[in-house]
Amino acid sequence: MEDKTCHGVEVAIDAMAGKWKPIILFHLMENKVMRFNELKRSIPNITQKMLTSQLRELEYHHIVHRKVYPQVPPKVEYSLTDYGQSIIPILKSMQKWGTSHFEHLNKNDKEQARE
Amino acid sequence: MEDKTCHGVEVAIDAMAGKWKPIILFHLMENKVMRFNELKRSIPNITQKMLTSQLRELEYHHIVHRKVYPQVPPKVEYSLTDYGQSIIPILKSMQKWGTSHFEHLNKNDKEQARE
DNA sequence: CAGAATCCGGTACGATACTG
DNA sequence: CAGTATCGTACCGGATTCTG
């Protein structure tokens, strides 16, 4: 919050903070609509607790929409809000960069013992 | 690491993880070359420890270049590597999104008591 | 000036149950 | 199926002091 110039960046960080949010968003971006367990299956290492909390935070930021079907057994669908769609460019550029970065890292670390 | 599709995203997250990295990068993006204390002054709330550790991690990822002038008093300059420049689009899109998101949030939260 | 070295607390995250 | 409710821990990040 110190100065204006990077305020936007901080806000974005805040909205996407959390180990799993970008991954969740990425899956929602690809599949449009996903149920809770469907998401969970797509992200094997995540716990229910984490998936729930991260989704709730994304909901708070109006990035993800949570649609509950009042029935038994429960059915809940998650999707990007119209507004949340606007975050896609960030995800895309992250993915693009990440992929090339991964190769870049491998190149340089090939002979370096790391840890 | 579970599946390929979002691997890039995870890598990007990993490289930018940390409370201050995007902010540091943002400043380096704007000012090209900055000395340690110059960076510190630009980010009032950061501690030396954090600034140091975050810079070291960015260095490890070959995003930031650290140039040491062997002299007394010490002089160290930080800058984006050629490769690190490639991360700029992410920062730009984050800033752009963050700014509009901030307004978006304010609109919706105007009457909601939040914490 | 640019850090290294300690110490320390909060919390983000994980593991494991339990439930409507 | 889609969650809550506890509990425990690692570690991230802050405050402070010391140094070449």
Side-chain angles (χ1 to χ4, degrees):
Chain A
M1 299 293 188
E2 54 270 5
D3 74 295
K4 295 295 227 338
T5 41
C6 62
H7 183 220
V9 179
E10 298 183 53
V11 174
I13 293 294
D14 188 50
M16 305 187 64
K19 188 173 177 178
W20 305 103
K21 273 178 209 157
I23 300 174
I24 293 172
L25 292 174
F26 192 83
H27 283 285
L28 288 178
M29 174 181 96
E30 287 194 319
N31 299 10
K32 307 297 183 188
V33 177
M34 297 182 79
R35 298 181 61 173
F36 185 84
N37 274 352
E38 191 179 357
L39 264 170
K40 177 143 178 31
R41 263 178 275 113
S42 303
I43 314 173
N45 299 327
I46 201 171
T47 59
Q48 309 90 321
K49 178 190 172 182
M50 275 304 103
L51 183 53
T52 303
S53 66
Q54 304 274 293
L55 282 169
R56 290 295 138 83
E57 289 178 32
L58 289 169
E59 216 189 328
Y60 168 76
H61 285 282
H62 310 104
I63 295 167
V64 160
H65 176 64
R66 179 167 178 264
K67 177 164 188 180
V68 183
Y69 294 83
Q71 63 182 44
V72 174
K75 177 178 176 181
V76 179
E77 283 178 349
Y78 292 93
S79 56
L80 293 180
T81 60
D82 284 351
Y83 176 65
Q85 308 274 346
S86 67
I87 214 173
I88 288 181
I90 302 184
L91 294 171
K92 293 273 194 191
S93 53
M94 283 178 68
Q95 193 210 8
K96 187 175 168 214
W97 186 85
T99 304
S100 68
H101 178 57
F102 183 65
E103 294 158 6
H104 184 85
L105 253 188
N106 278 3
K107 222 172 293 171
N108 292 46
D109 286 351
K110 201 151 278 177
E111 72 286 357
Q112 292 179 22
R114 118 132 115 149
E115 177 241 3
Chain B
M1 300 292 187
E2 55 268 7
D3 74 294
K4 293 298 225 338
T5 40
C6 63
H7 183 219
V9 179
E10 298 183 52
V11 174
I13 293 295
D14 188 50
M16 305 187 64
K19 189 173 175 180
W20 305 101
K21 272 178 211 156
I23 300 174
I24 293 172
L25 292 173
F26 193 83
H27 283 286
L28 288 178
M29 174 182 96
E30 288 194 319
N31 299 11
K32 306 296 183 191
V33 177
M34 295 182 80
R35 299 182 59 174
F36 186 84
N37 272 352
E38 191 181 358
L39 265 170
K40 176 141 179 35
R41 262 178 273 114
S42 302
I43 315 173
N45 300 326
I46 202 172
T47 60
Q48 307 91 323
K49 178 192 173 182
M50 275 304 105
L51 183 53
T52 303
S53 67
Q54 303 274 292
L55 282 169
R56 289 296 138 83
E57 290 178 34
L58 289 170
E59 217 189 326
Y60 168 77
H61 284 282
H62 311 105
I63 296 167
V64 160
H65 176 63
R66 178 167 178 264
K67 177 165 190 181
V68 182
Y69 294 82
Q71 63 181 46
V72 174
K75 176 176 175 182
V76 180
E77 284 179 348
Y78 292 94
S79 57
L80 293 179
T81 61
D82 284 352
Y83 175 65
Q85 309 274 345
S86 67
I87 215 175
I88 289 182
I90 302 183
L91 294 172
K92 293 274 195 192
S93 54
M94 282 178 67
Q95 191 208 12
K96 188 175 168 215
W97 186 85
T99 304
S100 69
H101 178 57
F102 184 65
E103 295 158 5
H104 183 84
L105 253 189
N106 277 2
K107 221 172 291 171
N108 293 45
D109 286 352
K110 202 150 276 178
E111 71 286 355
Q112 292 178 21
R114 122 137 112 146
E115 178 239 6

